[in-house]
């Protein structure tokens, strides 16, 4: 961890001014519309480079549970259902295997940025010991496959299959599922995991369609072109190549060290620097792991991480990393306040102080590591740490000391133009053989666009219409008028962003218990009442302001490209449980274990 900087060195007004200037420079009228639809403009970018497509006959049968998405959510729900004795479960997945995000993201250096012990689902159930504190992508994919095999989820799964229609059939209390492979089958229950970041997006840079060289998006890494592999084998085919990478978010931070070592010339086109703190990854010692992996260990670690990470008092910090450090610092600052001074205003000021200190340390790190002073300066992030996804990496800054690696800072403006031969920044053309788009994924576009289908519930009501004025759920999972449907995501639930899988594993447990309860008691339908949905939304409205998503932040997907979520009607707008993520998980556990499922009708 970086060292604490003394508060006295802070010029808070100057920092506030600098943050505002840097944000204003980046605000754009077109917001999210600056990105172009990949399916429309570059459909080839969405092809699966990893698994061959195999023909199969359309499926027309009935299953007890269908789950749309074969990532962590589907796998954990499938596993929990299997444990509850419900094995007639079908996962439908657009990729060629399980894994979701980790099926697609195989770029060099990809790894989890939350500690493996709390990030990887079902470690205890599968008996897997993570090899590193932050494991690399191939091991995460293997854990997905392990879950799939152990809980027999492969037999009934449909891969390379995209759902095109999901319609409630009132007459027999079932969902009809239609797909792009001609399938038309029914399921009594449907789970969906829309996935927060799975539709790649491309910047609408003038001339993007003109480039004559090679190009791809990081989520479909072209190892045929670059050489190497996701396990870190050098990208040997780039030794004579000039490459530009566009974007410097969390993906870039992980793959740039590999590119910088391999390319003849690498141009990193930066619009906004990421904050990059120390990672401190290390292999796991099996003897140490044996000691901690006593029954119930993963639940304990999950709860401990969430408690530390959401600023709650905890006796110990098991994970001890940049995430818990961040929260503990804020908490320590707040605890310095006298009881009579504990006002929201003072607490926000304490938060700001802590953040200034932390960000000063992170900025100082660029000078300590990067040899070229201008590059070091250009790599400094001028915003609060939670304005963008905080990054942690031990090799990223060092990559700029490689002789062939050049930071092309665009001073917040982005790449100006793309030509047949390369990229233009500040009027200067950089000729390249390949452009890699590390430009992220759609957030804030309509839910049904990202899902690829609209859900049609009772009386033909579409989910997009039901949510036209904003997302309405109980727990982020249950929607009135959409019986036997479970949506698995974080919004309007715990809203825990840092360790996203914690939300998903909890939801999987809930769904399995509810389906089992219905089966054991002969119920055909499960539906939340409109009143319960109203009451839940009313409760959420009492939540304190969220730390992320503020319009005072530099633009990005956290704050709807600077416009804020306000009245956008987009699901991300809503916050989480007012008492915080830990309290939510406790509440949820009691809610489902009581067997009453308050607010939800079984019939
Ligand atoms: P991001 O959306 O975070 O980054 C996209 C990048 O593209 C930004 O740097 C953006 O700049 C830049 N960009 C967009 N348009 C232009 C333009 N016209 N010119 C130049 N640059 C441009 O995508 P990532 O794929 O990096 O990360 C997405 C998310 O995925 C992360 O935030 C994280 O939640 C998750 N992730 C998680 C990892 C993990 O380990 N668990 C690893 C990697 C990603 P600007 O900032 O100015 O908009």
């Amino acid at each position: 961890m970086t060292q604490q900087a003394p508060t006295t060195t802070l010029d808070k007004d100057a920092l506030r001014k600098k943050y505002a200037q840097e944000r204003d420079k980046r605000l754009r009228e077109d917001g999210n519309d600056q990105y172009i639809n990949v399916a429309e403009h570059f459909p080839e970018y969405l092809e699966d480079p990893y698994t061959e497509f195999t023909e199969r006959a359309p499926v027309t049968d009935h299953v007890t549970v269908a789950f749309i998405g074969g990532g962590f959510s589907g796998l954990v729900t499938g596993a929990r259902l299997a444990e509850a004795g419900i094995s007639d479960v079908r996962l439908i997945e657009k990729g060629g295997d399980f894994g979701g995000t980790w099926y697609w993201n195989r770029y060099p250096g990809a790894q989890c940025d939350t500690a493996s012990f709390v990030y990887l689902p079902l470690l205890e159930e599968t008996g897997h010991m993570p090899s590193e504190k932050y494991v690399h992508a191939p091991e995460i994919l293997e854990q997905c496959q392990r879950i799939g095999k152990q809980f027999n989820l492969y037999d009934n799964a449909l891969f390379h299959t995209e759902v095109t229609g999901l319609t409630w059939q009132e007459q027999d209390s079932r969902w009809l599922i239609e797909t792009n492979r001609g399938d038309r089958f029914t399921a009594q229950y449907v789970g969906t995991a829309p996935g927060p970041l799975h539709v790649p997006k491309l910047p609408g840079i003038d001339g993007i369609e003109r480039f004559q060289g090679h190009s791809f998006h990081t989520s479909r890494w072209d190892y045929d072109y670059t050489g190497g592999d996701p396990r870190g084998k050098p990208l040997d085919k780039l030794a004579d190549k000039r490459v530009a990478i566009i974007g410097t978010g969390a993906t870039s931070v992980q793959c740039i060290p590999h590119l910088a070592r391999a390319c003849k010339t690498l141009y990193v086109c930066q619009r906004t620097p990421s904050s990059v703190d120390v990672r401190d990854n290390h292999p796991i010692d099996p003897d140490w792991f044996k000691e901690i992996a006593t029954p119930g260990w993963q639940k304990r670690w999950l709860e401990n991480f969430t408690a530390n990470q959401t600023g709650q008092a905890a006796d110990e910090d098991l994970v001890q990393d940049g995430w818990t450090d961040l929260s503990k610092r804020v908490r320590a600052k707040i605890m310095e306040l006298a009881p009579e001074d504990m006002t929201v205003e003072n607490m926000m000021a304490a938060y700001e102080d802590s953040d200034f200190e932390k960000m000063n340390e992170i900025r100082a790190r660029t000078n300590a590591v990067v040899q070229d002073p201008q590059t070091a300066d250009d790599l400094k992030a001028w915003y609060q740490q939670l304005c963008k996804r905080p990054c942690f990496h031990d090799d990223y800054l060092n990559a700029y000391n490689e002789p062939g690696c050049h930071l092309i800072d665009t001073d917040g403006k982005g790449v100006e133009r793309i030509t047949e031969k390369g990229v233009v920044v500040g009027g200067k053309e950089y000729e390249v053989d390949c452009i890699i788009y590390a430009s992220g994924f759609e957030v804030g576009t309509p839910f049904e666009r990202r899902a690829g289908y609209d859900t049609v519930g009772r009386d033909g009501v579409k989910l997009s219409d039901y949510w036209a004025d904003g997302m309405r759920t109980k727990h982020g999972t249950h929607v009135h008028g959409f019986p036997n449907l479970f949506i698995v995501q974080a919004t309007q639930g715990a809203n825990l962003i840092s360790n996203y899988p914690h939300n998903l594993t909890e939801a999987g447990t809930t769904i399995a218990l509810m389906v089992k309860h219905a089966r054991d008691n002969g119920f055909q339908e499960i539906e939340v009442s409109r009143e319960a949905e109203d009451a839940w939304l009313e409760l959420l409205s009492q939540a304190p302001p969220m730390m992320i998503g503020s319009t005072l932040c530099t633009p990005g997907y956290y704050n709807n490209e600077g416009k804020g979520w306000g009245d956008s009607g987009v699901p991300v707008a809503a916050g989480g449980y007012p008492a915080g993520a830990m309290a939510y998980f406790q509440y949820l556990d009691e809610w489902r274990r009581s067997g009453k499922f308050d607010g939800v009708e079984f019939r």
Side-chain angles (χ1 to χ4, degrees), residues 34-35 102 107 111-113 119 197 201 203 205 246-252 254 269 271-272 388-389 414-415 438-441 555 557 561:
Q34 67 183 282
Y35 296 101
W102 298 102
Y107 58 83
Q111 66 185 129
C112 57
D113 69 351
Y119 185 81
L197 300 157
K201 71 182 184 203
I205 301 169
I246 298 183
T248 48
T251 296
S252 258
Q254 293 183 338
C269 302
R271 188 165 71 177
T272 310
K388 283 192 175 280
R389 178 81 181 184
V415 171
S439 43
F441 303 87
Y557 78 82
E561 297 300 331

Side-chain angles (χ1 to χ4, degrees), residues 184-407:
R184 266 178 77 83
F185 62 95
T186 53
Q188 189 178 357
Y189 304 98
V190 169
T192 73
L197 300 157
H198 72 105
V199 179
K201 71 182 184 203
L202 288 175
I205 301 169
D206 182 32
I208 190 169
E209 289 170 38
R210 253 176 262 146
F211 182 60
Q212 294 298 307
H214 196 72
S215 58
F216 56 89
H217 187 274
T218 48
S219 65
R220 307 287 190 275
W221 194 271
D222 189 350
Y223 283 104
D224 283 345
Y225 181 83
T226 64
D229 68 17
R231 294 182 184 275
K233 201 171 145 213
L235 309 169
D236 55 351
K237 292 189 184 170
L238 296 179
D240 60 349
K241 298 283 189 297
R242 300 159 304 172
V243 175
I245 183 162
I246 298 183
T248 48
T251 296
S252 258
V253 165
Q254 293 183 338
C255 69
I256 280 173
H258 293 258
L259 287 169
R261 282 195 288 271
C263 298
K264 180 177 164 208
T265 307
L266 176 68
Y267 297 116
V268 179
C269 302
Q270 171 180 272
R271 188 165 71 177
T272 310
S274 278
S275 73
V276 187
D277 202 355
V278 174
R279 169 77 303 168
D280 207 12
N281 195 17
H282 56 78
I284 297 307
D285 172 359
D287 290 334
W288 172 84
F289 186 72
K290 252 187 232 147
E291 269 174 37
I292 67 130
T294 53
W297 77 266
Q298 197 177 21
K299 189 168 186 294
R300 282 197 302 278
W301 275 65
L302 272 167
E303 287 174 357
N304 182 265
F305 181 70
T306 298
N308 275 292
Q309 216 269 309
T310 53
Q312 302 205 359
D315 293 342
E316 55 180 342
D317 175 4
L318 294 170
V319 168
Q320 295 193 45
D321 71 353
W323 293 106
T324 55
D325 178 54
L326 195 161
S327 309
K328 283 191 300 186
R329 282 166 176 246
V330 174
R331 188 179 150 76
K333 266 273 180 264
I334 290 174
M335 295 316 283
E336 282 171 16
L337 294 170
E340 63 276 17
D341 292 334
M342 287 262 186
T343 60
V344 172
E345 204 179 37
N346 286 343
M347 287 197 274
M348 293 307 282
Y351 172 79
E352 189 192 40
D353 280 357
S354 168
D355 195 83
F356 279 147
E357 287 172 18
K358 183 65 177 167
M359 287 302 286
N360 270 357
E361 291 167 19
I362 293 175
R363 284 187 283 267
R365 206 176 156 236
T366 69
N367 292 101
V369 180
V370 179
Q371 286 152 12
D372 176 54
Q374 184 61 50
T375 305
D377 259 7
D378 289 342
L379 285 166
K380 291 185 166 60
W382 297 103
Y383 46 78
Q384 290 197 341
Q385 196 179 12
L386 293 181
C387 279
K388 283 192 175 280
R389 178 81 181 184
C391 296
F392 307 91
H393 209 285
D394 296 333
D395 296 330
Y396 174 70
L397 295 174
N398 232 327
Y400 294 94
N401 296 330
E402 292 285 344
C405 178
H406 308 282
L407 180 68

